[in-house]
Amino acid sequence: MSGGFDPLHPRELDLPTRVPLDVDLTMGDAAIVLDDAKIFAAPADAADLDKWRTQLTAWRDGARRRHGEPVRYDDPASRWASRCFTVAQLWLWDELFFDFEAQRFTPERFLTDARERFGGLDGVVLWHAYPVIGIDERNQWDFYDVPGLAEVAAELRAAGVAVFLDYNPWDTGTRRAGDDAEELAATVRRLGADGVFLDTLKKADPELVAALDEARPGIGLEGESKLATERIADHTLSWAQWFADSEAPGVLRARWFERRHMQHHIRRWHRDHSAELRSAWLNGVGIMVWEVVFGAWVGWNSRDAATLRRMLPVQRGFHRWLIEGEWTPLNVLDGAIAGSTFELDGVTLLLLVNTSAGDAVYRPVGAGWSALHAGDTAEAITVPAGGIAAAVRVDQGTAVPDELDAAQAALADEAVHRDASFPHRISRRVVASRWEGPVESTSFSSVTVPAGKYTLTVRFRMRETGMYDGAPYVDEWKPLPPRLHDQRTLDRTVVVAQPVQIAAAEVSEAEYALFLEAIGEVADARDPDRPVTNVTFARAREYAAWAGGRLPTEDEWQLAASRPGFIRRTPEVWNWTESEHSDGRTRFVMLKGGSAHRSEGSDWYFDGGVKPPEFSAKLLLPGLGQDASPSIGFRICREDRP
């Protein structure tokens, strides 16, 4: 159990809201209850569908009178958001997006992968600070101060992909600069962003909206989870996060209120996205593709990725039908098959889903139908198990729209995939590059870790990053304390093949200055006895190689720390260890020791304070020097070889 509920099942507030069929929904308490719904549940009895639709319309009419018409959507500068069907949540240093060996961004590689597997992206959220922020005084704006990032954002936009920045309102315990609204607006201008994701916020304060509108007219603001009905007017996008639906997909409240409002379905820890896809399909909205949750791999399976590829050509091509057409929710309800129509200018778009575990066939009634997906005909449309399908009817005397031929052509090679197995990734240690520079086998005081087999108890705080392999939460709706941020332990069995001499103390500023001089760089040892900091992981490895050794692994560090003679320089700082890992998408390094620095005010910050030897912290590795920190130093070791 977590926070008083079963984490594998939706909470009460995640469930769809029943629509009363026998009360006035234009006003009154029942209408106000619906104002707060995530999804309007489909009626249990198909005989109630007509009344259900009438009640939905009555609620919308009353809500428009209560909250006003959302005129922002009439602004041409804002209209792009309604076309933003697929958005990827992207860690800035994802190995598809950043090449660690070349130390350069590779947006073209990331976009190519997205086109091949998902059918392309309409937007990306450049996630930058969490879960690294808090390790030192750097604030969220500092983590966007990355060489070349503005050029990368421009390249994404040139490829037709909207760029979203991330705003962390909880970041109050790091370096204070200007007002958040001013800082965020300045960052939007500098990076040319199209939108802002409001991390942990459902909506932005009106003052923030005004500041961002001035920075980028028509900017898209996307809140996390459900958006208040009255704020749909100035937030053109929102997450449909942790939205449980009825068996036959219901109607998204925000989308029903304003058809041009874009929502992105997302259940970040789930391995089966078919329910999200079906709900997005029948509501004409989008999907958040999120495969790396802050360092934890939660990749999409082949079946769901193929379903998204079968959806997007229709959604993009028939966008006008989805936002302007006459939407009739659930006018098809035939066993496991449910469908909705969008009619415009004599052309009807029919979207179908199948909620069963077996394929089902739908046979359209009447003439003028054309199937959109390969293999289907006007007489028989196969809706795959758990999947989607579509057809278009052109009324007699109406010209066949260009969108029909374009969608059929785009879908000609998009076959149904059945493989719903999870695409596991295993993290492996990354070996340090060979040092080609000079070597000065310096002497240092050390403690000895004897060769042998050891069982170590490791303590850590369970963050969304997880630890070595696997996601920390699987198929959970919303991890909450005590499962989120609680203290945990794991046992590691390790073998030390040769005795290891580990430096008794961290490398000092004076010692590091000698290294810089040896390689022809400027040395500045202001306090010779302090631990040297602001050294990147790669440079720490280089120093260790120059000194005739290497960094200790996290296990060697822990074993040495329990022996007499092991000390900490002051102020205490985290220690780099020879424990770089990669699963092909995320690079991370295990840190040991803790630091004197602690960022206060939020559990989302990186671990702070001096830690016992058994404590480990997983640091997602940034590139381009962003890993250098005043809170991280290092010590070296040498193996005793016979």
Side-chain angles (χ1 to χ4, degrees):
M1 299 294 286
S2 174
F5 73 99
D6 183 346
L8 296 180
H9 292 84
R11 300 165 297 170
E12 186 68 27
L13 59 84
D14 297 322
L15 296 174
T17 301
R18 185 182 65 84
V19 178
L21 303 179
D22 54 359
V23 298
D24 181 4
L25 290 184
T26 61
M27 62 182 68
D29 292 343
I32 293 173
V33 168
L34 294 189
D35 281 1
D36 198 45
K38 288 185 172 182
I39 295 181
F40 299 134
D45 188 342
D48 293 329
L49 279 168
D50 286 341
K51 182 62 174 176
W52 176 73
R53 296 188 200 102
T54 299
Q55 289 291 79
L56 290 182
T57 300
W59 169 82
R60 182 175 58 199
D61 292 344
R64 287 287 183 94
R65 288 194 291 271
R66 289 193 299 278
H67 303 298
E69 296 287 333
V71 295
R72 181 186 185 90
Y73 297 82
D74 297 330
D75 181 357
S78 297
R79 291 176 186 169
W80 66 271
S82 71
R83 292 182 174 274
C84 193
F85 288 101
T86 49
V87 172
Q89 184 80 294
L90 173 66
W91 171 236
L92 201 58
W93 311 103
D94 186 312
E95 291 187 74
L96 272 179
F97 196 69
F98 184 77
D99 185 328
F100 276 86
E101 280 63 45
Q103 287 291 297
R104 71 175 185 88
F105 287 108
T106 56
E108 70 289 346
R109 182 170 61 181
F110 179 78
L111 294 179
T112 297
D113 176 80
R115 281 194 297 271
E116 292 174 351
R117 291 198 296 132
F118 302 113
L121 297 172
D122 301 314
V124 295
V125 181
L126 295 179
W127 198 275
H128 65 316
Y130 174 79
V132 175
I133 190 170
I135 196 166
D136 51 42
E137 281 293 320
R138 284 177 292 177
N139 63 31
Q140 59 183 305
W141 323 117
D142 295 326
F143 281 95
Y144 271 134
D145 188 12
V146 176
L149 189 56
E151 290 75 13
V152 170
E155 188 173 341
L156 289 169
R157 295 188 68 198
V161 178
V163 173
F164 291 78
L165 302 186
D166 164 44
Y167 170 49
N168 307 133
W170 46 265
D171 176 27
T172 60
T174 56
R175 182 182 71 86
R176 294 300 87 204
D179 174 80
D180 272 10
E182 296 173 359
E183 291 280 358
L184 181 54
T187 307
V188 166
R189 292 189 186 96
R190 180 168 60 83
L191 297 180
D194 302 282
V196 172
F197 170 61
L198 305 169
D199 178 37
T200 73
L201 287 179
K202 296 178 181 178
K203 60 185 183 299
D205 291 337
E207 295 77 15
L208 180 59
V209 176
L212 295 176
D213 262 338
E214 185 177 350
R216 196 285 198 194
I219 194 165
L221 301 181
E222 180 152 5
E224 185 171 357
S225 196
K226 65 180 178 182
L227 177 64
T229 300
E230 65 270 19
R231 299 307 301 278
I232 294 172
D234 57 9
H235 291 61
T236 52
L237 310 98
S238 63
W239 275 20
Q241 181 170 222
W242 301 309
F243 279 33
D245 208 344
S246 44
E247 183 175 355
V251 168
L252 289 164
R253 182 256 309 167
R255 181 70 168 186
W256 184 254
F257 179 81
E258 172 49 67
R259 295 276 295 284
R260 293 166 293 181
H261 181 80
M262 176 54 69
Q263 292 185 272
H264 295 113
H265 259 295
I266 171 65
R267 299 179 190 175
R268 69 176 77 168
W269 299 110
H270 280 61
R271 295 182 174 182
D272 181 344
H273 297 288
S274 58
E276 301 154 66
L277 291 161
R278 292 193 298 268
S279 181
W281 183 238
L282 289 196
N283 282 274
V285 301
I287 288 288
M288 173 71 76
V289 176
W290 198 350
E291 293 200 294
V292 181
V293 177
F294 311 128
W297 172 247
V298 291
W300 277 45
N301 64 54
S302 297
R303 180 201 63 192
D304 293 342
T307 297
L308 186 53
R309 292 198 304 271
R310 286 163 55 85
M311 289 170 57
L312 288 172
V314 181
Q315 291 182 317
R316 291 167 178 158
F318 285 88
H319 167 258
R320 198 161 62 88
W321 276 256
L322 296 178
I323 66 168
E324 297 177 17
E326 181 181 346
W327 178 13
T328 306
L330 298 183
N331 65 344
V332 172
L333 202 55
D334 183 9
I337 293 180
S340 297
T341 55
F342 300 82
E343 185 177 355
L344 182 68
D345 298 336
V347 176
T348 301
L349 173 66
L350 169 64
L351 304 180
L352 299 166
V353 301
N354 177 3
T355 60
S356 74
D359 291 354
V361 175
Y362 178 73
R363 303 183 187 282
V365 177
W369 287 102
S370 297
L372 291 187
H373 293 94
D376 291 336
T377 67
E379 292 75 30
I381 298 172
T382 298
V383 191
I388 61 93
V392 169
R393 184 182 66 202
V394 180
D395 290 349
Q396 188 173 5
T398 299
V400 175
D402 294 339
E403 290 85 352
L404 175 58
D405 290 338
Q408 289 174 326
L411 292 165
D413 297 322
E414 294 299 346
V416 174
H417 284 240
R418 308 290 182 178
D419 184 4
S421 61
F422 180 69
H424 288 277
R425 284 180 174 269
I426 303 299
S427 63
R428 306 186 187 281
R429 283 189 184 268
V430 178
V431 178
S433 300
R434 182 179 177 84
W435 170 243
E436 302 293 345
V439 175
E440 180 71 33
S441 294
T442 60
S443 61
F444 54 86
S445 298
S446 65
V447 296
T448 301
V449 175
K453 184 176 182 180
Y454 299 88
T455 298
L456 300 180
T457 295
V458 177
R459 303 188 188 281
F460 62 97
R461 182 166 64 105
M462 178 52 79
R463 308 173 74 210
E464 291 172 300
T465 60
M467 282 296 277
Y468 288 96
D469 279 316
Y473 312 104
V474 177
D475 291 340
E476 296 197 19
W477 279 81
K478 184 176 183 179
L480 294 170
R483 288 180 51 74
L484 178 65
H485 296 154
D486 62 330
Q487 300 296 322
R488 301 195 185 184
T489 63
L490 62 83
D491 290 333
R492 289 174 56 81
T493 300
V494 300
V495 175
V496 178
Q498 302 289 339
V500 181
Q501 302 295 324
I502 296 180
E506 292 91 353
V507 173
S508 69
E509 288 193 4
E511 291 167 333
Y512 190 72
L514 295 175
F515 164 67
L516 293 181
E517 291 173 358
I519 63 173
E521 296 187 12
V522 177
D524 183 15
R526 298 181 181 179
D527 188 337
D529 293 327
R530 287 172 60 97
V532 67
T533 59
N534 287 309
V535 176
T536 67
F537 179 59
R539 179 50 66 89
R541 278 173 157 173
E542 291 171 354
Y543 175 95
W546 169 80
R550 59 173 173 80
L551 301 178
T553 68
E554 72 271 38
D555 303 315
E556 293 167 342
W557 194 104
Q558 181 171 336
L559 288 165
S562 64
R563 285 167 166 73
F566 188 95
I567 64 172
R568 305 292 304 278
R569 294 187 188 272
T570 56
E572 294 88 351
V573 292
W574 288 102
N575 282 199
W576 289 120
T577 67
E578 187 51 60
S579 59
E580 181 182 11
H581 294 72
S582 171
D583 65 1
R585 294 293 295 269
T586 301
R587 293 278 181 117
F588 64 90
V589 178
M590 291 298 178
L591 300 184
K592 299 293 285 188
S595 71
H597 174 82
R598 184 193 298 272
S599 294
E600 303 282 4
S602 176
D603 284 342
W604 301 116
Y605 284 133
F606 195 84
D607 296 287
V610 179
K611 302 296 184 184
E614 64 269 20
F615 191 89
S616 292
K618 178 179 179 178
L619 176 73
L620 304 195
L621 190 63
L624 297 174
Q626 302 300 300
D627 53 330
S629 167
S631 295
I632 306 177
F634 64 99
R635 65 184 71 216
I636 65 172
C637 71
R638 291 196 190 107
E639 295 178 3
D640 284 345
R641 295 188 178 276

